[in-house]
Amino acid sequence: IARHEGMETLWSGMGPSLILVSNPSVQFVSYEKLKQFAISMKGLSTNDNLPHDGAMESVEEESLGPELSGVEYFLLGAVAKLIATLVTYPIQIAQTRLRANRKKNQTARKKENNEIAEKTTENKDKEVNAGKYSGTFDCLLDIYKRDGIQGLYRGVDAKIMQTCLNAAFMFTAYEKIYAAIFRLFFQRKKTLKS
């Protein structure tokens, strides 16, 4: 690859991939903020007073804080993933376009090197368009100029259905398992004290 396409090809597409790493971060931060908001709206106190250094022996069962319903966790997880998807989806669109752009460049080079096709107007247009993006933000700007905000979110509905449902089930399971583990821990603690 490096010999035929250049050393930079080995790292092509790395920029968008590094930006997309933020999706789970946005998801988890959104989830925690939404959960705190839901708990405060129910008039319950949060479990922010729990020790984070492993000193659980000093914690009483009542101080573990409130538990929301499974449906509430499900909705919070779905909304958190919706937020993360809406924030990062345009980068996914740009990444897809940049990959397609790279394939067009490869096709144009092969045709040029092999001199298989004659230089028709169609081939010249393909070659001109093949190298049209200089990077991620150039691609995003081009999409926005051509198609507006709708272009940046084309196909997002299918992505939302896929990812939000997955995240909703994941957060519901996480919260329920977390609560079950702490209930078991405190039952064991009470048994040992007796």
Side-chain angles (χ1 to χ4, degrees):
I1 293 173
R3 190 175 339 119
H4 294 288
E5 298 175 31
M7 287 297 287
E8 68 276 358
T9 306
L10 296 174
W11 287 273
S12 69
M14 193 162 156
S17 295
L18 289 175
I19 295 169
L20 289 172
V21 168
S22 67
N23 183 291
S25 301
V26 173
Q27 176 184 336
F28 280 95
V29 169
S30 297
Y31 177 77
E32 286 300 323
K33 293 297 180 186
L34 288 167
K35 186 169 83 169
Q36 288 174 1
F37 178 74
I39 288 169
S40 70
M41 290 303 292
K42 289 182 103 175
L44 304 169
S45 62
T46 62
N47 56 5
D48 291 338
N49 58 344
L50 287 179
H52 297 285
D53 60 358
M56 289 302 293
E57 289 76 29
S58 63
V59 177
E60 294 301 319
E61 186 172 6
E62 296 80 32
S63 69
L64 284 176
E67 190 176 328
L68 299 173
S69 72
V71 172
E72 290 168 319
Y73 287 132
F74 186 89
L75 292 174
L76 293 175
V79 171
K81 188 59 175 185
L82 174 67
I83 292 167
T85 300
L86 292 176
V87 168
T88 59
Y89 192 75
I91 303 299
Q92 291 178 353
I93 290 290
Q95 188 179 46
T96 302
R97 293 261 179 112
L98 289 166
R99 285 180 181 154
N101 184 51
R102 192 173 117 216
K103 286 182 182 177
K104 283 182 182 179
N105 280 336
Q106 290 170 349
T107 302
R109 278 191 217 126
K110 283 180 184 177
K111 284 183 180 180
E112 186 178 288
N113 289 340
N114 295 333
E115 297 178 0
I116 295 173
E118 293 182 22
K119 296 283 182 180
T120 63
T121 307
E122 183 180 294
N123 286 341
K124 286 180 185 176
D125 289 344
K126 284 183 182 175
E127 287 177 18
V128 168
N129 288 331
K132 70 180 176 178
Y133 300 126
S134 62
T136 304
F137 294 106
D138 178 47
C139 182
L140 288 170
L141 188 59
D142 181 62
I143 294 168
Y144 181 76
K145 284 179 182 176
R146 288 175 185 240
D147 303 321
I149 198 81
Q150 297 88 357
L152 295 173
Y153 288 95
R154 186 169 287 129
V156 74
D157 49 349
K159 187 72 171 173
I160 286 172
M161 290 300 290
Q162 172 204 10
T163 59
C164 289
L165 191 58
N166 183 25
F169 282 118
M170 181 194 70
F171 279 112
T172 303
Y174 166 78
E175 292 292 352
K176 292 300 182 179
I177 291 169
Y178 181 82
I181 288 171
F182 274 99
R183 276 196 293 282
L184 286 172
F185 173 77
F186 284 109
Q187 284 176 353
R188 182 171 177 242
K189 184 179 170 185
K190 285 180 185 178
T191 307
L192 292 175
K193 283 184 177 179
S194 311

